[in-house]
Amino acid sequence: MTKTPPPVLDLCKLEISLPKGADRAFALEGLDLTINAGEIVCLVGESGSGKSLCAGAIMGLLPEPHVRVTGGAIRFMGEELRGKSDAEMRKLRGADISMIFQEPMTALNPQKTVGWQIDEVLRLHTKMTKAERKARALEMLERVHIPEPASAYNAYPHQISGGQRQRVMIAMSLVLSPKLIIADEPTTALDVTTQLQILKLIRELQEEEGAGVLFITHDFGVVAEIADKVAVLCRGELVESGTTDAVLNHPQHPYTRALIGAVPALTPPPVKAASDAPVVLKGTGLKKTFAARGGLLSGKRKAVTAVKDLTFELRQGETLGVVGESGSGKTTVSRIVTRLLECDQGSVELDGTDLLAATPKELRALRQHIQMVFQDPMASLNPRKRVVDLIAQGPIVHGADPKKAREDAKKLLELVELSPAAANRFPHEFSGGQRQRIGIARALAMEPKVIVADEPVSALDVSVQAQVLKLLAELRDRLNLSLLFVTHDLRVAAQLCDRIIVMQKGEIVEHGPTAEVFANPQHPYTQNLLSSIPGRDWTPPSLHANVA
Amino acid sequence: MTLHMPPILTYALRRLIQAIPVVILIMIGTFLLLKLAPGDTVDALVGDMGGADAAFIARLRAEYGLDQPIWVQLWRYMVKLASFDFGWSFVYEQPVATVLMDRLGTTLMLMAASLSIAFTAGIVLGAIAARRAYSATDNLISILGLVFYATPSFFLSLMLMLVFSVKLGWLPVGGIKTIAAFYTGWDHVWDVVRHLIMPTTALSLIYLAFYLRLMRASVMEVADLDYVRTARAKGAREGRLMTHHIMRNALLPVVTLLGLQFSTVLGGSIVVETIFTLPGLGQLAYQSVVQRDMNTLMGIIFLCAIIVVVVNFLTDLLYARLDSRIELA
């Protein structure tokens, strides 16, 4: 009779305490989690739920003594990890337990070659010779499907793409065939097509090696794509766990239900009858190239074309989505139409006036009619100004009576569902979602005809994202606003946009009503994008009605 | 990164061409500024002689070309400078080039020694302070650094002199070598080193604090970065993190400062050289100002401009060596 092997990882009543003055006493409270060999367990939660600290606790890499494990057991292959010396933990790290991090850009040392960094793991844990190590590293690069492993071996991280960097990171963590792989949001920073490739790669290698994987993510689409089992964390407490099917399709706990209910379904709004509303924003033949850094004497300046020959129309009351991956030029479009960036060619007509030909004085007047909402609500609000002043600043600059502008600002706060009592607070006193509401109020203060929103919800948690999207949609309908909505997230686009344009390398490859493009994509790039959406086969159950 | 010859040569050539207008502008600016100051060489000469009649003064002025309009004087000076002719020093009765070359060695020695010590000690102490941030060691290092930084260089110099020369009698009070000792070989070298110990200490202690503070901040910042966490997750020990992952990245801003500070150290050497009567460019500059030795002063400034340009070029090369992301273009 064979004894069943112990699980790869067994967390029992794990408790991590936070320093005094934190928003709660424990980052994790009594977490139970078991990962068997060959299993991918997704740990899901919003920011601040304690999911990354869980990874730190297993690796023995918590920022002690402020944050430390104060209770419970961490058993790896049946062996208790708590109380192990630093030297013992170092032997495990990188060899038996390895980690894949979120940001492939910053997780690799910029001053060392890819080869060196993979080699380091082997140097630290094995007695292999230099030649053996190099052969092993090259073999790993091959296994993670990096084209030309030999040249990647000698490349510095900045010389390869983001997706390739994440492949290198995976090669590095798997080079010693660890029994447990902890992946902390490994695909969050990647484009959707790259994300799918990386998810497939993790799955493929994990099946070959039979390792257990703890996969930390906030994205239910990714969960649907990769998980065998799911555990949902809410403010340090495990609220629900089970098989992927059970949790995703029949969630029990109200928090899980709310989270899943907030995931935008991939069903676009129905096609509206061809609108005869007036065109408020019209771009014609827009072109923008960036001159790359070049030498005075070397004579070759490589120009990068960010946008080439872009034409679009935005009608009143309509939402036009601009979707594409990084480098597609979608952010450049948003900067050109607001003339935050000078364009090389073409015209942008705002209500019939050419914005790009306007003199500085005319431009200042026109700016009132086109306002922006930015991606990072923290970085785009001046931290030293009170919220009321941030909102009233625009109207005051345009000649409004300061006192009245401040009164109006308070009304706007109500409009974006914030308390007018918060008017005298500073941006850092608000959460991410609230800050984005302030950003929207700031844009609305000018009573613009057009709002250009550049990834306004991509920095937000899914439940907050849903609220902000709902608010945007409501305001658009109530104020008859026209929205130019730039996003990389096709789920978000599906939820909000009437029409979308799909951009690739500075060009529109496809455009049309969202429902039509989603149902029947014509261009291969659009088809690829749509088929890469994580969890595209999973339709979040409709739970909105019964959310507590 | 490997530096292939052709790109680096183009780069050097481009930097050289960029430097020419900079140096020309510096020289024109200095020339005009010095002309604005009251008094010229003739005034100083006449003052030394104890006075002279107006006709004699006018003749002297004509002889030196000082009676010409300022633009003519400037044009003549710049034309001569173009062929590296610095003119004649009326104070030293020698060509300015000769005077400068006599003094250059001392100053370069002083500066090289001070900066190397300040830089090396600064990054080592800064790294130690960062790794033990907010501990007693860190506080001690930081306080000492600030004390030296806040102390005026002349005071520090005089105190060193008082303790090590006057009280203890270990080190010579001033000068670059023992006069009339006629040492040769290693004895001569040792003699010069003994003379340089105090000036170098005085100058380096002041600049040490800059490198120390910057290195401390830089190491603390880099130590928090993701790739250091990655290395830790690979099983690397703390010492290895420092030597293989943190140091080189943390050095980058410090190297930038090194290039920028070279010129201020050049300025600082004026005070130190004057106090320790070191026959260097700094002391010469001070004397030239007092004696209105315009040609010598302009020569010194030209030389300093060139040194600063060269040092900044070398810093950029070093930077590119240290940072694989930077390509010289």
Side-chain angles (χ1 to χ4, degrees), chain A residues 28-51:
Chain A
L28 279 181
E29 250 182 303
L31 174 65
D32 292 312
L33 193 74
T34 306
I35 301 176
N36 293 308
E39 216 173 44
I40 297 184
V41 177
C42 274
L43 191 58
V44 198
E46 297 191 288
S47 47
S49 61
K51 53 193 196 302

Side-chain angles (χ1 to χ4, degrees), chain A residues 59 61 86 89-91 93-95 97-99 101-103 106-112 116-118 120-121 123-125 156-159 169 172 184 293-298, chain B residues 1-2 9-11 13-15 17-18 225-238 240-241 243-246 248-249 252 320-329:
Chain A
M59 295 291 281
L61 288 177
D86 202 41
M89 282 308 292
R90 272 205 303 272
K91 277 202 190 115
R93 270 183 226 142
I97 309 177
S98 70
M99 258 191 106
F101 294 100
Q102 173 173 0
E103 268 293 339
T106 55
L108 296 173
N109 188 334
Q111 311 300 358
K112 303 283 184 186
W116 189 95
Q117 301 195 47
I118 299 177
E120 188 179 30
V121 183
R123 232 175 314 150
L124 288 168
H125 294 284
Y156 286 96
H158 69 271
Q159 292 166 329
M169 187 78 221
M172 204 158 79
D184 190 354
R293 226 173 60 113
L296 184 72
L297 289 179
S298 66
Chain B
M1 69 178 280
T2 47
L9 277 184
T10 6
Y11 179 69
L13 188 64
R14 192 163 61 86
R15 288 291 297 262
I17 293 172
Q18 282 173 348
L225 292 182
D226 288 356
Y227 55 80
V228 177
R229 185 187 59 182
T230 306
R232 211 173 261 134
K234 282 175 176 177
R237 62 181 77 233
E238 292 299 307
R240 187 186 168 83
L241 293 180
T243 51
H244 285 75
H245 293 279
I246 299 176
R248 187 159 149 193
N249 285 291
L252 295 174
R321 262 267 177 230
L322 281 174
D323 192 343
S324 60
R325 287 164 295 189
I326 290 185
E327 284 175 37
L328 300 177

